[in-house]
Amino acid sequence: MRSIYLVLDMQNDLVAEDGPSGKGPLGQQVRERGILERTAAAIAKARAAKVPIGYVRVGFSPDYRECPTTSIIFSGARQHGLFKLGTRGTEVHTKIAPQPGDFDVVKNRVSPFYGTNLEPILRANGIERIFCSGVSTIAVVQGTVRDAHDRDYAVTVLEDCCASPTADDHEAAIRVLQRFTQFTTSDTVTFSD
Amino acid sequence: MRSIYLVLDMQNDLVAEDGPSGKGPLGQQVRERGILERTAAAIAKARAAKVPIGYVRVGFSPDYRECPTTSIIFSGARQHGLFKLGTRGTEVHTKIAPQPGDFDVVKNRVSPFYGTNLEPILRANGIERIFCSGVSTIAVVQGTVRDAHDRDYAVTVLEDCCASPTADDHEAAIRVLQRFTQFTTSDTVTFSD
Amino acid sequence: MRSIYLVLDMQNDLVAEDGPSGKGPLGQQVRERGILERTAAAIAKARAAKVPIGYVRVGFSPDYRECPTTSIIFSGARQHGLFKLGTRGTEVHTKIAPQPGDFDVVKNRVSPFYGTNLEPILRANGIERIFCSGVSTIAVVQGTVRDAHDRDYAVTVLEDCCASPTADDHEAAIRVLQRFTQFTTSDTVTFSD
Amino acid sequence: MRSIYLVLDMQNDLVAEDGPSGKGPLGQQVRERGILERTAAAIAKARAAKVPIGYVRVGFSPDYRECPTTSIIFSGARQHGLFKLGTRGTEVHTKIAPQPGDFDVVKNRVSPFYGTNLEPILRANGIERIFCSGVSTIAVVQGTVRDAHDRDYAVTVLEDCCASPTADDHEAAIRVLQRFTQFTTSDTVTFSD
């Protein structure tokens, strides 16, 4: 079964130590849980197994013309100048930097399946299994798992490479996904293509 | 702003007192929380406000030919003979029975936005706001809120008309939805079209 | 490669001899080209090859509550009382009647891929190749071929089982599909699963 | 009713005088019909009316990793090195060059509604009417009109800003779209927002 590893929203605006979220509760969780290091290890394993990597990033034109005014989530981004394409904030953190040949999926909403070329990518490459992790567990990880489930992809979440603004949020998100996906960790995952 | 009230998966296989789930933990939650009575009250308010009602139901042909073999969730349904279209199990509970003119949305997966005519219905009727509730909070309610959010619908969940197999599951699901939706209750909701 | 044969909009409102379209130009084309007989032959071949059949039908609730008021195409349907679910008009013509186990896909717009459970069906059954035919070539056949192409399904049109209100329309539709699909006929098609 | 003008696939690989298609039949049609000049005039009118412009482009990573191997259309592109993102071939022709603030929609297939951020853009901006034109009439223009129709957008095609590899192809494509859309020309169009 052909696989892909989706690294979700691991961009500087959310995970850089000196970034707007990195200085706050999400950044603290990311550091406490060693998310960047664990994700780097998982990516290395996926590359070794020749499983393609897809970096998913959320981003808008600097004037936010693709961004809804109604969303609670994105009105914060707009207010604080987050997620501007072409700036460092939407680039993937250097510790887990993309390499030539990786997939780049830019999205304008929460789920990577909505309004993106993720599905054309999955279909063109005959992919049937999705490994995924990222921030936050309550937003993009949930969206990925749920949409992948409904489209009959096998899904595995690398739990120790996911974080939310609080540990309770993370645990709640994992709890509600129990019946939708399998869980593994960066240590124990076996990528196979 | 035109609205709709989506009543999610409130079908006998899940909420009937003598049904397969009704006898188990989900049924206990439904009864303890008075879900059927509260939902009936909310539906009455929506009807009084001329807000259309959409009943969402999960169902398959009796041989499950539209049902994936891979899903953890649906393999249970298949094993226990649940969700067969044309049987009582996929009919909405009589306490909150549909009336002529209500919308009927049948789905083959968890989210009512995937593989159904929900979006054609919303578009044909110029609907911009979705009120919703149902069972379970961790599955169909989550899916509805997230997909509606990404498609720029305003969403309001009637929290006291939702239930999950355990109170902890319900609370976890509500927790992770905080930034995606507004919450209200059957007592305080004001439907307006 | 798993296959399906989609029989598109071959319902009484469009192809019955005494129906609203059957009495007009489309009906004349259907009879002149022997569409019902050829489709019956193709269906028999598909059944013999154990290729599943999917009947696609366009239909609305009798008050047309799922039907857009803006569409040029569907305002005609609304005006003339066509495509009402639960009436003979939306039933498949008896000469090519469905059998138990066939798929039934009801749609509210032109393309069978939009707002229907076609994609859940294709995915649950691992289908990668779509054979199709029906009426009209300029509407549902075009929509099926184009949407299937973009989703990376192999597509084959049974050209002699398709018709449009005029022979020129049919030929124009076939012409513009040349680069999107392969063509075959009911005589020469080989279904294989 | 808020509007957008979608300029479809008017990129150098398809319309540049010295490009791979520009030297062939499509380029000849584009020049004979004055497509670039007419499109420039239409864009100027849209800008004057404050109607936003959306440039749609087809493109892939240089190794075609998002491109299906099965498509008749795209296997030609792959073979001839067309549609590589980051090269001049996927840039819009300088005669109709984008300006800051215009929308940029990159697609991996034929229809701009599949696997792109077009729908998030339309929703975020409350757009209900789509004006469109481009090359070719048989491919991207058809796909745009059909998908927009099914999603209940009002659609108007600027017929004299569209071309196909032959005049017969163009006329066939226009013919089969008669019931799906309105037609206008760059001279007579009135954009209004």
Side-chain angles (χ1 to χ4, degrees), chain A residues 118-187:
Chain A
L118 177 56
E119 198 160 291
I121 287 171
L122 298 176
R123 291 191 189 263
N125 291 276
I127 289 167
E128 298 176 73
R129 172 178 294 279
I130 294 172
F131 294 88
C132 68
S133 65
V135 296
S136 70
T137 334
I138 57 174
V140 70
V141 176
Q142 285 262 349
T144 304
V145 169
R146 288 170 185 278
D147 284 358
H149 170 273
D150 273 6
R151 285 154 188 79
D152 301 355
Y153 292 97
V155 196
T156 303
V157 173
L158 283 72
E159 188 270 338
D160 67 335
C161 301
C162 301
S164 283
T166 72
D168 284 352
D169 278 348
H170 174 74
E171 279 154 34
I174 296 297
R175 180 182 190 100
V176 300
L177 288 180
Q178 293 297 333
R179 291 197 304 163
F180 288 89
T181 181
Q182 297 183 307
F183 291 96
T184 186
T185 63
S186 53
D187 281 346

Side-chain angles (χ1 to χ4, degrees), chain B residues 151-192:
Chain B
R151 286 154 187 78
D152 300 356
Y153 292 98
V155 196
T156 302
V157 173
L158 283 74
E159 187 271 339
D160 67 334
C161 300
C162 301
S164 283
T166 72
D168 284 351
D169 278 347
H170 174 74
E171 279 153 34
I174 296 296
R175 180 183 191 100
V176 299
L177 288 180
Q178 292 297 334
R179 292 197 303 163
F180 288 89
T181 181
Q182 297 182 307
F183 291 97
T184 185
T185 63
S186 54
D187 281 346
T188 57
V189 63
T190 304
F191 292 101
S192 61

Side-chain angles (χ1 to χ4, degrees), chain C residues 123-136:
Chain C
R123 290 190 189 264
N125 292 275
I127 289 166
E128 298 177 73
R129 173 178 294 280
I130 294 172
F131 294 89
C132 68
S133 64
V135 294
S136 69

Side-chain angles (χ1 to χ4, degrees), chain C:
Chain C
M1 201 186 296
R2 293 219 62 198
S3 303
I4 195 170
Y5 176 24
L6 296 180
V7 179
L8 305 167
D9 292 3
M10 295 291 288
Q11 58 198 67
N12 288 312
D13 270 344
L14 291 171
V15 299
E17 295 72 6
D18 59 345
S21 285
K23 289 182 290 190
L26 179 60
Q28 193 176 337
Q29 286 291 313
V30 167
R31 284 187 297 278
E32 278 182 16
R33 293 171 55 81
I35 299 297
L36 282 163
E37 296 71 23
R38 292 176 193 276
T39 305
I43 290 171
K45 287 174 86 165
R47 291 197 194 285
K50 308 271 188 226
V51 166
I53 315 290
Y55 288 89
V56 173
R57 304 181 292 139
V58 56
F60 303 101
S61 296
D63 62 1
Y64 294 98
R65 58 185 178 266
E66 306 90 359
C67 181
T69 54
T70 49
S71 163
I72 309 174
I73 292 176
F74 291 123
S75 60
R78 196 190 272 262
Q79 195 180 336
H80 296 98
L82 302 188
F83 304 154
K84 293 186 180 182
L85 292 170
T87 71
R88 180 173 170 263
T90 52
E91 284 169 20
V92 172
H93 193 284
T94 50
K95 282 191 184 162
I96 53 171
Q99 295 182 6
D102 294 337
F103 291 101
D104 179 38
V105 175
V106 175
K107 65 189 171 78
N108 296 159
R109 298 293 188 275
V110 174
S111 170
F113 279 89
Y114 179 68
T116 75
N117 66 341
L118 177 57
E119 198 161 290
I121 287 171
L122 297 177
R123 290 190 189 264
N125 292 275
I127 289 166
E128 298 177 73
R129 173 178 294 280
I130 294 172
F131 294 89
C132 68
S133 64
V135 294
S136 69
T137 334
I138 57 173
V140 70
V141 176
Q142 285 262 349
T144 303
V145 169
R146 288 171 185 277
D147 284 357
H149 170 273
D150 273 6
R151 284 154 189 79
D152 301 355
Y153 292 98
V155 196
T156 303
V157 173
L158 283 73
E159 188 270 338
D160 67 335
C161 300
C162 301
S164 282
T166 71
D168 284 351
D169 278 348
H170 174 73
E171 280 154 33
I174 296 296
R175 180 183 190 101
V176 299
L177 288 181
Q178 293 296 333
R179 291 196 304 163
F180 288 89
T181 182
Q182 296 181 306
F183 291 96
T184 186
T185 63
S186 54
D187 281 345
T188 57
V189 63
T190 303
F191 292 100
S192 61
D193 206 26

